[in-house]
Amino acid sequence: DFKQVFHTDNSDLVHDILCLANSIGDEDRNLIFGIEDWTKAVKGIDSCPNRKTLAQIMNILYNAKLNHLPKLEMHTVSI
């Protein structure tokens, strides 16, 4: 799933992560920030005020009181 910027609402972030985590299949699922969804144009996230670290995202998921936390990895790619 491509997102041009990070979520402004944490519940939207949790929703997107859970949708990917619950999708059927054994392949990896990716939530990619800094890419426009329709055109796939690279927009970047350097100046995104809502940018989050993996620790922040895991804390949001933990505070959502989920039965099971999905396994997440975060990678930054510079182009």
Side-chain angles (χ1 to χ4, degrees), residues 12-13 21 34 36 47 75:
D12 290 337
L13 173 63
E36 190 174 81
S47 62
H75 303 278

Side-chain angles (χ1 to χ4, degrees), residues 32-55:
I32 302 173
F33 296 97
I35 305 291
E36 190 174 81
D37 191 28
W38 295 103
T39 65
K40 307 300 184 261
V42 176
K43 299 295 184 176
I45 54 170
D46 288 337
S47 62
C48 182
N50 299 311
R51 187 175 181 173
K52 294 171 179 53
T53 64
L54 179 59

